[in-house]
Amino acid sequence: MQSSATAALAAPVSTAGEPRSVVVLGSTGSIGTQALDVIARNPGRFRVAALAAGGGRVDLLARQAAEFRPEVVAVADAAAVPALREALGGSPVKILAGPEGVAEAAAWPADVVLNGITGALGLHSTLAALEAGRVLALANKESLIIGGPLVKRLARPGRLLPVDSEHSA
C-alpha cells in the first residue's frame, strides 16, 4: 500500500527526466519526516527545493537542511532564527522567518508543495502555493476548514491533491 507521502510525491511534473523538486512544509513533523524519508530513498527521483517548520525542533530542521541541501529554509517562529543559523554553521542556505517566510517557501519554484503544517498557520501557505500555480499536496485540514471557499477558488484541476484520509472524504 502506498503511503500518503509517496502518493503526494507522485504528482505530475513539468520537466521530463529530471528529479521532481519538492517543497516540504512542516518538515519536522510526522508527514514531513515521512516525505523526507521517501525522498532520501529515491535520490534520483526527487530533490528538496525548500523546507519549512515551526521552529520548535531547530536541530532536526538543521540536520534536514544539511542532508537535503534545499535552496531555502523557513522557520515560522522568527525567534528561532539565531539558533537555526548557529545549527546550520556556515551553510549558504537562504533563511526565511515568520509566517510570511513560510508562505514564501510555499511559493518557491517546485513541482510539488507538500503542506504538512499543523493548524491555522497552514492556510496562508496553502493559498501562497496555489496562487503561485504549484501542485499542492495538502495534509493541512485547517486550510479546508477555515478557508475552504478560498482554497476551492484558487485550486485548478489537478493542482490540489489530498494527502490524508479526511481530505479524501
Side-chain angles (χ1 to χ4, degrees):
M1 187 159 135
Q2 196 175 37
S3 75
S4 295
T6 304
L9 296 176
V13 295
S14 57
T15 310
E18 294 194 17
R20 287 183 176 106
S21 56
V22 182
V23 170
V24 181
L25 307 176
S27 69
T28 60
S30 177
I31 300 262
T33 56
Q34 287 178 53
L36 290 172
D37 182 53
V38 170
I39 291 168
R41 287 185 278 124
N42 295 278
R45 294 185 63 198
F46 306 106
R47 74 172 182 81
V48 176
L51 294 171
R57 301 175 72 187
V58 171
D59 289 340
L60 176 55
L61 181 58
R63 286 194 307 273
Q64 291 172 340
E67 179 179 354
F68 294 100
R69 301 175 197 262
E71 299 155 19
V72 66
V73 174
V75 61
D77 180 2
V81 170
L84 180 60
R85 275 194 214 291
E86 183 177 331
L88 287 170
S91 172
V93 67
K94 180 176 182 175
I95 298 174
L96 304 172
E100 301 81 17
V102 174
E104 185 177 339
W108 204 258
D111 294 310
V112 179
V113 175
L114 173 62
N115 187 350
I117 295 173
T118 59
L121 178 63
L123 175 60
H124 193 50
S125 299
T126 289
L127 298 176
L130 292 172
E131 286 171 347
R134 308 290 177 251
V135 171
L136 177 64
L138 186 61
N140 172 269
K141 65 181 169 233
E142 289 82 5
S143 290
L144 298 175
I145 294 167
I146 298 168
L150 293 170
V151 172
K152 285 175 64 176
R153 200 170 317 131
L154 289 172
R156 301 291 171 250
R159 296 276 176 188
L160 184 61
L161 307 170
V163 178
D164 200 352
S165 58
E166 292 171 330
H167 302 76
S168 296

